[in-house]
Amino acid sequence: MSGRAVGNTFQDAVRQAIQRARQRGVLYSVSTRAEVLRDAGVPFLVRVVTASRDVGRGPTAHSASNATAAGTSDALAMAAQAATSHTSERAFRNPFLPYDPEMHVADVPPERVCLLNKFPVVDGHLLIVTRLFQEQTSLLQVEDFAGLWHCLRQYPGLAFYNSGKVAGASQRHRHLQLIPVTPESDIPIDAVMRQAAGRREEASGCFQVAAFPFLHAAVWTAEVTAARREADISTGAELHAQYLKLLWHVAEQAGAHRFGERDVSGDVKEAQPFPYNLLLTPSWMLLVPRRLEACHGINVNALGFAGYLLAKTTEQLEYLRRRGALHVLSQVAFEAASAAESCAQSR
């Protein structure tokens, strides 16, 4: 690892980057209160927006300018304004080329960089970004998983990926994400994932969670990550193979058209998968195809399927209480019972 992380652990590098960004007034967080809702036995942690604030007002003119801007505009609005990647090509501005050096945490092999999320709901929210431009909607590569695992093995948490705007991505430049979670069992869906994995028929096969009313597929990754803990490239290759297995599994479940061509070695060429969310912990990986960005104004990204939802208004919270979180997720994904027909039509 190079850059500011030299001579420190990865977690030290994250703490130092957060402290630096706060001192310089360039890190903006969204203030929330948490409420736990249960639906069909599955807990959901709903963060309800209470206010948005700028975090830190540094002594420089640059940081003072940022602090003033944050004091007069909402951090959520600032984040939305920054999400310009899905407008016209003429208006496209890439925030990662170049990336803001104030957000830098560490260089990540191979050819990735770890950055702070400038508008975090969860403190310590990280982005793992490709150094050169790659589309957020194109097929993930071994190097993406190697870089992600390089960070995840040193920074316990939940990794996730939003493939495209429909799946909740705000930028076209490829970025995977990581939020700290300690211990792993604090992830709301972790218990049901472990229970479902324990009932799977084949140790290496895909499995489903009975409580989830939407199309999805999961695999158990604990054996791979435990055996190859510090071998980033080989672990990345194993995780990439599991990821491809999930993509093909949900495509076959839904009756979707093949998204690429396999050569004799099993690689996928020139693939452009359907929109989906991906979740990864050292123990399991979950993939959910997507058809809508939001339900009743509640935007959902990969974290929603991990059991984390964000309600921006009291009315959205009441809707979640009344209809249930699983209803919202089933609306933005494909309902398992009708997934084949819906997914085929969306293609």
Side-chain angles (χ1 to χ4, degrees), residues 59-345:
T60 67
H62 173 69
S63 61
S65 174
N66 279 281
T68 301
T72 57
S73 53
D74 187 272
L76 287 173
M78 293 171 68
Q81 185 177 10
T84 58
S85 291
H86 300 289
T87 58
S88 68
E89 289 292 333
R90 181 173 298 178
F92 173 41
R93 296 192 302 273
N94 189 339
F96 302 135
L97 279 180
Y99 61 81
D100 184 348
E102 303 286 3
M103 297 295 106
H104 182 264
V105 175
D107 295 338
V108 177
E111 295 301 317
R112 269 70 181 158
V113 62
C114 180
L115 308 174
L116 296 177
N117 184 338
K118 185 175 287 191
F119 307 100
V121 174
V122 178
D123 287 340
H125 185 158
L126 305 180
L127 309 177
I128 297 92
V129 181
T130 57
R131 284 194 176 275
L132 300 178
F133 177 78
Q134 296 187 44
E135 286 283 1
Q136 186 76 355
T137 53
S138 60
L139 195 72
L140 291 175
Q141 303 169 344
V142 169
E143 291 81 2
D144 292 306
F145 284 93
L148 185 60
W149 178 246
H150 178 84
C151 299
L152 181 58
R153 67 178 173 82
Q154 301 177 83
Y155 190 71
L158 171 66
F160 63 100
Y161 181 69
N162 306 314
S163 180
K165 186 173 185 289
V166 170
S170 62
Q171 303 294 339
R172 278 179 49 193
H173 187 130
R174 182 178 300 169
H175 59 288
L176 292 88
Q177 303 186 58
L178 178 58
I179 60 169
V181 179
T182 305
E184 185 182 87
S185 58
D186 285 347
I187 299 171
I189 69 164
D190 188 65
V192 295
M193 290 294 293
R194 291 177 180 275
Q195 292 167 5
R199 293 192 295 266
R200 68 193 189 282
E201 296 181 0
E202 298 180 17
S204 61
C206 297
F207 64 90
Q208 281 80 40
V209 178
F212 292 170
F214 47 83
L215 179 64
H216 69 282
V219 289
W220 188 249
T221 59
E223 288 84 358
V224 170
T225 58
R228 304 175 179 268
R229 179 154 186 87
E230 296 187 9
D232 296 336
I233 292 295
S234 59
T235 304
E238 293 276 2
L239 293 174
H240 181 257
Q242 298 280 27
Y243 154 76
L244 291 181
K245 180 191 297 185
L246 292 178
L247 275 175
W248 282 91
H249 187 78
V250 295
E252 290 175 351
Q253 277 190 306
H257 297 297
R258 300 290 185 176
F259 57 80
E261 296 182 358
R262 281 183 170 178
D263 64 17
V264 292
S265 67
D267 293 331
V268 178
K269 296 180 176 179
E270 299 179 359
Q272 190 77 14
F274 38 77
Y276 64 91
N277 293 124
L278 185 73
L279 293 160
L280 174 67
T281 76
S283 297
W284 47 261
M285 186 188 303
L286 172 68
L287 190 144
V288 182
R290 289 291 298 274
R291 68 186 185 91
L292 295 173
E293 288 182 66
C295 171
H296 201 73
I298 301 169
N299 293 93
V300 179
N301 65 11
L303 290 179
F305 296 96
Y308 300 108
L309 290 165
L310 182 69
K312 297 178 182 178
T313 65
T314 301
E315 195 271 339
Q316 289 181 358
L317 176 62
E318 290 302 322
Y319 185 84
L320 284 167
R321 287 172 174 163
R322 184 173 69 255
R323 299 301 304 270
L326 289 173
H327 167 78
V328 170
L329 297 184
S330 67
Q331 294 302 300
V332 299
F334 294 96
E335 293 189 58
S338 59
E341 179 181 353
S342 298
C343 194
Q345 290 176 351

